[in-house]
Amino acid sequence: MTWQARIDTALRAREASHSLRRRVVCTPEPGGALVHQGVRYRNFSGNDYLGLSQHPTLIAAWRQGAETFGVGSGASGHVSGYSGAHQSLENALAQWLGFDRALLFISGFAANQAAVAALMQQPDRILADRLSHASLLEAASYSPATLRRFAHNAPGALAALLGKPCDGLTLVFTEGVFSMDGDCAPLADIAGLAQGEQTLLMVDDAHGIGVLGREGRGSCDVAGVRPDLLLVTFGKAFGLSGAALLCSESMADYLLQTARHLIYSTAMPAAQACALDAALTVIREGDDLRARLARNITRFRAGASQLPLTLADSQTAIQPLIVGENGAALTLAEKLRERGCWATAIRPPTVPAGTARLRLTLSAAHQDDDIDALLEALYDGCR
């Protein structure tokens, strides 16, 4: 077999199963909207939960940061890419979330991979929720540690795994809010199990930070839990991109020596750190935004409960409608676009076979008429 034959065979198989992914060019607009090929759509596929990606304060902060620091950091943070803006943001995040230190990463994917690669050795083990993010599961599969996945949101299954002997150390991993189902982990129960000097608890709160808890401190704040490692990302409620790992002083010092994603990657632009600092202020003062998002969730769920589809049990901004087959999910997504609502069909392998869905996401930027338009389009699309 040639390389071209291998590639062509794989693409044909994806096409035949309605699982071929394609990118489209979109231009975001204020008010939870986007433009594609000159047509404006209500956007129900983004993660901009508080509508901050278009916030004038963040835009102004980025502009001022660019004028002060330039548009790129120019180096790894270990060389000359670590500025006062980066330090200020790390300090603010640590203070806000109640940790000794915060370390900035270029993405949540990189942060998860960096932590696993730096920490895990043989004969360690990783005990991860079965629906944990691909970045963690991929990193675990490449690490010398043993990966064991426990049943989704099942502390009893985790307890059973913890009860088995291990010659090394243990990393317990879960998300705060799961990205495909929008449900929340039982963090208090999991934290209660992940105790002891030989066990670390890591929580990826990409979809909870900024939205849940006091001042938007996230899932762990709601549960009254302080994990050993907390991952927060900036591509969702913060409206930007990047991530940070919150941890102890000694853990931060260790990761600075061993996390290759930090050592060998160019740091995020200082201007971006300035915008993130501004976003943090807006989030901490954003109870009105969180209240508006909560109203939108309630309004949508009240209407969607009448649809002939399975509405996931989620009280978060992620509201999946389970369609089933790939082709049916693609067809429904296209019907919504015909009605001016942008919704993306999520298909295997991102979700289990037979559970293709519309992963609908709501934002504080949406108005009542946006939610109503989505519901009307869904009613018509299901006929």
Side-chain angles (χ1 to χ4, degrees):
M1 175 180 283
T2 66
W3 281 107
Q4 191 61 54
R6 177 184 291 181
I7 292 168
D8 289 344
T9 298
L11 290 176
R12 284 195 296 269
R14 287 289 183 97
E15 185 79 58
S17 63
H18 301 287
S19 59
L20 187 67
R21 296 182 174 103
R22 291 186 173 90
R23 297 185 301 176
V24 295
V25 177
C26 299
T27 302
E29 285 198 346
L34 61 81
V35 173
H36 171 60
Q37 295 183 342
V39 180
R40 187 179 189 275
Y41 297 88
R42 294 176 165 94
N43 182 13
F44 294 102
S45 283
N47 293 326
D48 189 11
Y49 301 137
L50 299 180
L52 297 192
S53 67
Q54 302 288 320
H55 198 290
T57 299
L58 278 62
I59 294 171
W62 192 309
R63 183 181 295 114
Q64 180 60 52
E67 291 174 353
T68 303
F69 297 101
V71 296
S73 64
S76 160
H78 284 61
V79 183
S80 61
Y82 186 66
S83 70
H86 295 98
Q87 183 182 55
S88 175
L89 176 59
E90 286 183 344
N91 290 342
L93 288 166
Q95 183 276 326
W96 178 46
L97 295 170
F99 285 79
D100 294 340
R101 297 276 294 278
L103 297 176
L104 296 175
F105 287 81
I106 204 67
S107 72
F109 203 106
N112 273 336
Q113 300 234 322
V116 170
L119 291 170
M120 306 313 294
Q121 303 176 16
Q122 193 178 29
D124 297 343
R125 63 182 177 181
I126 300 170
L127 307 182
D129 186 287
R130 181 163 293 280
L131 298 187
S132 295
H133 194 267
S135 56
L136 180 281
L137 297 178
E138 180 180 277
S141 69
Y142 292 154
S143 84
T146 299
L147 171 64
R148 293 288 182 266
R149 298 162 70 182
F150 59 90
H152 177 53
N153 281 349
L158 172 60
L161 290 176
L162 285 168
K164 295 181 179 181
C166 175
D167 293 331
L169 302 177
T170 298
L171 175 67
V172 174
F173 183 94
T174 187
E175 297 184 32
V177 175
F178 287 86
S179 60
M180 287 298 111
D181 291 299
D183 55 339
C184 299
L187 290 177
D189 292 337
I190 290 173
L193 294 169
Q195 300 288 329
E197 294 181 351
Q198 294 183 317
T199 302
L200 286 180
L201 173 60
M202 182 173 175
V203 176
D204 179 338
D205 203 27
H207 298 276
I209 197 71
V211 177
L212 304 176
R214 299 167 300 156
E215 294 186 344
R217 289 187 179 99
S219 302
C220 292
D221 182 74
V222 173
V225 166
R226 185 172 177 244
D228 300 289
L229 286 164
L230 172 63
L231 173 70
V232 299
T233 67
F234 308 132
K236 283 78 178 177
F238 272 74
L240 289 139
S241 65
L245 270 177
L246 286 296
C247 57
S248 68
E249 192 78 36
S250 59
M251 178 68 77
D253 287 341
Y254 175 79
L255 291 174
L256 284 170
Q257 314 313 309
T258 56
R260 296 167 70 85
H261 291 74
L262 281 178
I263 298 168
Y264 299 112
S265 288
T266 300
M268 71 167 60
Q272 181 177 337
C274 293
L276 286 165
D277 217 341
L280 177 54
T281 298
V282 174
I283 285 171
R284 297 188 70 170
E285 299 172 353
D287 285 347
D288 58 330
L289 294 174
R290 285 182 282 275
R292 190 183 312 159
L293 174 59
R295 290 194 297 271
N296 286 343
I297 294 168
T298 299
R299 189 181 189 91
F300 171 77
R301 289 190 64 81
S305 64
Q306 307 302 314
L307 291 168
L309 297 172
T310 300
L311 177 63
D313 184 16
S314 166
Q315 300 301 318
T316 69
I318 302 167
Q319 293 292 318
L321 279 173
I322 312 302
V323 179
E325 297 304 316
N326 292 358
L330 289 168
T331 297
L332 182 56
E334 184 57 35
K335 288 181 178 179
L336 292 189
R337 291 186 190 182
E338 291 171 0
R339 295 288 300 270
C341 294
W342 191 274
T344 302
I346 305 295
R347 295 155 287 160
T350 304
V351 295
T355 69
R357 67 198 61 190
L358 297 189
R359 180 185 177 273
L360 301 169
T361 52
L362 305 178
S363 169
H366 290 136
Q367 303 300 315
D368 288 353
D369 61 341
D370 296 318
I371 306 300
D372 293 345
L374 172 62
L375 290 168
E376 291 172 7
L378 283 167
Y379 292 147
D380 289 345
C382 290
R383 288 178 180 173

